C-alpha cells in the first residue's frame, strides 16, 4: 500500500463515519459498510507507513480523529475503530522500542499515551459476559503461535490475538445478541470449537483472517469441526448415500421383476 492510497482510505472512512453518524446508525446501512471496509483495508498498511502518517504533523486529522471511530454510535464502526487504532499503537510502540536510544518527540509520546488509553478501553465492553467471551477467544487464539509450522510463525506472530478476539466477539454479539437464552448454544459451540485441542486449523484461519468473525458466526457445527471430524462425517454421509442408492436400485429391480412376472 502506498501513501496516497492510505490517505484516500482514511478520508473515505472518515466521510462514511460522519455520514453514518448523521443517519439512523443501522449496521446494515451503506455508510457503515463503507466505513468498516475502509478501516479493514487500512489495517493492511505496512507498519512503517502507518507509523509515519499517524504522527505526521501534515496529517493531524489521522491522530485526532480516533474519537470519531472509537466513540461512534454504531457498534461495528466503534469496534473496528478501536481495533485499528490499537494496531497503530502497537506499531508506534514497536518503533519506539527500536529507536529508544534516540530522543522522543513530545507530540509522538503524547499521541502514544492517548492510544494506550484507547487500547485498554478496546479490550473491555463493560459487559461481564461479553468480556468473558473475549478472554476465552483470546486464550484460544494465543495457542496458534505454538501450533503452526516454522515457515508460518512469522505471519502468525504479526497478528494480534486481542484485536482478533475483540473483532470476532463483536461480530458474535451483533449477530447473536447477548450470551443468554437460546443463543448460548451457538456461543458455546463456537467457543468449544475455537478452543478444541484437536481443531488448530479453525483458530489459525480465524487469527489469520481467512475466516472472518461474520463468517464464523454463520458456520454450522460440522463446518467448524476439525479436518479429521469433517472427513469422518463426509465418509458417513457417503456411506449413507451409497446405502440409499443401493436401496433404490433394489426397489427398482424388484418392481421390474414384478412387472415381468405379471
Amino acid at each position: 500500500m502506498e501513501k496516497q492510497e492510505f490517505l484516500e482510505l482514511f478520508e473515505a472512512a472518515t466521510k462514511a463515519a460522519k455520514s453514518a453518524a448523521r443517519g439512523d446508525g443501522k449496521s446494515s446501512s451503506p455508510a457503515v459498510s463503507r466505513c468498516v471496509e475502509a478501516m479493514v483495508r487500512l489495517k493492511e498498511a505496512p507498519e512503517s507507513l502507518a507509523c509515519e502518517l499517524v504522527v505526521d504533523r501534515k496529517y493531524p486529522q489521522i491522530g485526532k480523529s480516533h474519537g470519531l471511530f472509537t466513540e461512534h454510535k454504531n457498534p461495528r464502526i466503534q469496534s473496528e475503530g478501536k481495533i485499528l487504532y490499537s494496531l497503530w499503537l502497537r506499531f508506534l510502540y514497536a518503533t519506539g522500542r527500536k529507536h529508544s536510544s534516540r530522543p522522543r518527540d513530545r507530540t509522538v509520546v503524547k499521541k502514544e499515551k492517548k492510544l494506550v488509553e484507547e487500547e485498554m478501553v478496546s479490550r473491555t465492553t463493560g459487559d461481564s459476559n461479553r468480556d468473558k467471551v473475549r478472554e476465552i477467544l483470546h486464550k484460544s487464539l494465543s495457542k496458534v503461535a505454538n501450533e503452526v509450522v516454522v515457515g508460518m510463525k512469522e505471519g502468525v506472530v504479526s497478528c494480534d490475538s486481542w484485536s482478533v478476539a475483540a473483532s470476532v466477539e463483536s461480530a458474535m454479539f451483533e449477530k447473536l445478541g447477548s450470551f443468554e437464552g437460546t443463543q448460548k448454544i451457538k456461543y458455546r459451540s463456537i467457543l468449544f470449537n475455537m478452543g478444541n485441542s484437536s481443531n488448530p486449523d479453525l483458530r489459525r484461519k480465524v487469527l489469520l483472517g481467512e475466516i472472518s468473525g461474520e463468517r464464523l458466526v454463520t458456520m454450522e457445527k460440522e463446518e467448524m469441526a476439525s479436518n479429521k471430524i469433517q472427513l469422518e462425517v463426509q465418509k458417513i454421509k457417503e456411506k449413507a448415500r451409497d446405502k440409499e442408492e443401493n436401496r433404490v436400485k433394489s426397489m427398482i429391480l424388484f418392481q421390474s421383476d414384478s412387472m415381468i412376472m405379471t
Side-chain angles (χ1 to χ4, degrees), residues 3 5 11 18 20 38 63 109 118 136 146 159-161 169 174 176 221 226 237 255 260:
K3 180 177 179 179
E5 182 183 2
E11 183 179 3
K18 290 179 178 178
V109 174
E118 200 58 52
I136 295 172
N146 296 321
C159 297
D160 177 56
S161 54
E169 185 280 327
E174 183 177 338
L176 304 175
K221 180 172 59 177
S226 65
K237 288 182 177 179
Q255 291 176 354
I260 293 172

Side-chain angles (χ1 to χ4, degrees), residues 45-233:
E47 179 179 338
S48 57
L49 179 62
C51 287
E52 174 191 347
L53 295 178
V54 169
V55 300
D56 195 327
R57 294 181 180 181
K58 293 181 181 178
Y59 311 103
Q61 69 274 19
I62 297 177
K64 293 179 178 179
S65 296
H66 73 281
L68 172 64
F69 304 107
T70 61
E71 298 173 11
H72 202 281
K73 66 179 182 180
N74 181 271
R76 287 183 64 195
I77 293 178
Q78 184 182 118
S79 177
E80 286 298 330
K82 288 178 179 179
I83 293 170
L84 178 62
Y85 274 86
S86 293
L87 175 66
W88 288 347
L89 164 69
R90 285 187 298 279
F91 286 169
L92 289 171
Y93 262 38
T95 302
R97 284 195 295 271
K98 290 175 185 176
H99 305 288
S100 58
S101 60
R102 301 178 184 179
R104 305 293 305 286
D105 186 283
R106 289 186 178 182
T107 304
V108 175
V109 174
K110 185 177 181 180
K111 287 183 178 180
E112 288 182 3
K113 182 178 180 181
K114 192 167 186 63
L115 285 171
V116 169
E117 296 171 354
E118 200 58 52
E119 181 184 40
M120 296 309 296
V121 171
S122 71
R123 292 190 176 187
T124 60
T125 64
D127 182 314
S128 59
N129 285 332
R130 291 189 64 186
D131 291 342
K132 184 63 177 178
V133 170
R134 290 190 176 196
E135 289 176 11
I136 295 172
L137 288 169
H138 172 248
K139 183 177 180 180
S140 299
L141 293 167
S142 297
K143 298 178 181 179
V144 179
N146 296 321
E147 295 173 331
V148 297
V149 296
V150 177
M152 296 181 65
K153 275 191 177 293
E154 185 175 348
V156 168
V157 171
S158 65
C159 297
D160 177 56
S161 54
W162 260 119
S163 296
V164 177
S167 179
V168 171
E169 185 280 327
S170 294
M172 292 170 69
F173 181 75
E174 183 177 338
K175 182 71 174 180
L176 304 175
S178 301
F179 182 75
E180 57 187 14
T182 57
Q183 300 298 354
K184 279 187 177 182
I185 298 175
K186 183 64 175 180
Y187 266 98
R188 286 171 175 163
S189 176
I190 293 173
L191 296 177
F192 170 77
N193 281 288
M194 283 291 291
N196 188 352
S197 58
S198 301
N199 201 0
D201 287 330
L202 177 64
R203 50 181 166 269
R204 175 182 56 78
K205 290 178 180 178
V206 172
L207 182 65
L208 295 176
E210 295 176 20
I211 296 178
S212 66
E214 289 77 8
R215 171 67 183 122
L216 182 65
V217 177
T218 62
M219 290 174 73
E220 297 295 331
K221 180 172 59 177
E222 293 77 13
E223 292 179 280
M224 290 188 286
S226 65
N227 291 341
K228 180 180 179 181
I229 292 179
Q230 287 189 36
L231 287 173
E232 291 176 354
V233 171

